[in-house]
Amino acid sequence: MRVAAAFVALLVSMTLQAQESAGSGSAAKGQIATSCGGGHTVDDYLAEKNKIRRKRNTSPLPNDVCILGWCRANPNAPTPDSLPTSHPPQETSPPQAASNQTESSSKPAPIDACDPYSAAQDVEVGDFYYQDKSYRPALSRYESALKSKPGDPGVYLRLGKTAEKLGDAERALREYQSSIDAGPDQPSAKEARAAIERISSQKSSK
């Protein structure tokens, strides 16, 4: 299971990098407030992950096919050497040598590590909770996603929607505004602006 998840992560990372090098990234994505993910939003990762998942499910056979105790190795299965063993390379600074640890102890440690794949996983689970109207677990997952991918406009939008469902209009407004600031030309910004107008009109009518 972990190997399959890591394989999907590697495919997502390679596909997004290829798209970026081909120049398919729009100018709007370059305006996103964070560099985590190379300008790709968590929604981009989810879309690519779902695309890869659909392709892989066209022949959802395991590596070894066993029927009634009779097993046959799948000739198309990847060899263990070709499978990834961990997440794709992350955009974090390399660990410093032990000799530099005394010098770096006075410097502040980075607050959040960039891990778009973990953020996409958290958002997937959060979306499931949100659709199930379990808003507090959804909020927790979205907060975790924001730690893995700081400044993502799609995560801010989800935080705003969930806070609104929980009756916290002030936080919802803050999260919606953060979504607009992080990606003013992203689709999430349009939805965030509409939500801000809706909440503001509700406040003024009271």
Side-chain angles (χ1 to χ4, degrees), residues 64-73:
D64 295 311
V65 182
C66 296
I67 302 172
L68 300 175
W70 178 78
C71 297
R72 178 176 64 88

Side-chain angles (χ1 to χ4, degrees), residues 16-202:
L16 290 175
Q17 286 174 2
Q19 288 175 351
E20 192 172 47
S21 63
S24 63
S26 65
K29 288 182 182 176
Q31 296 173 358
I32 297 173
T34 179
S35 62
C36 178
H40 295 288
T41 67
V42 73
D43 291 307
D44 294 335
Y45 277 85
L46 288 174
E48 196 62 35
K49 188 177 177 184
N50 289 333
K51 194 188 301 181
I52 291 169
R53 190 180 289 154
R54 282 195 298 272
K55 285 180 184 176
R56 291 181 70 226
N57 283 346
T58 55
S59 179
L61 292 175
N63 291 352
D64 295 311
V65 182
C66 296
I67 302 172
L68 300 175
W70 178 78
C71 297
R72 178 176 64 88
N74 184 354
N76 297 324
T79 61
D81 294 337
S82 66
L83 291 173
T85 56
S86 63
H87 281 347
Q90 303 303 317
E91 299 176 20
T92 55
S93 57
Q96 296 183 354
S99 59
N100 294 337
Q101 285 181 355
T102 55
E103 296 175 11
S104 64
S105 60
S106 60
K107 297 177 183 177
I111 299 171
D112 296 313
C114 178
D115 189 352
Y117 184 71
S118 291
Q121 286 181 312
D122 280 327
V123 166
E124 264 190 321
V125 177
D127 288 349
F128 173 81
Y129 282 133
Y130 185 89
Q131 289 170 3
D132 197 43
K133 299 183 179 179
S134 301
Y135 299 121
R136 293 207 178 276
L139 188 72
S140 176
R141 281 295 189 156
Y142 295 147
E143 288 170 344
S144 178
L146 195 63
K147 289 178 183 175
S148 298
K149 194 173 187 303
D152 189 277
V155 178
Y156 281 128
L157 177 68
R158 287 170 169 88
L159 283 167
K161 290 167 73 172
T162 311
E164 191 177 355
K165 289 289 187 183
L166 290 168
D168 190 348
E170 294 303 320
R171 178 173 183 182
L173 286 170
R174 288 196 309 270
E175 302 293 2
Y176 287 139
Q177 188 58 52
S178 295
S179 179
I180 295 167
D181 294 341
D185 296 325
Q186 292 291 312
S188 55
K190 183 179 179 181
E191 193 174 345
R193 288 187 187 100
I196 289 173
E197 288 178 16
R198 183 182 64 250
I199 294 173
S200 300
S201 64
Q202 286 172 356

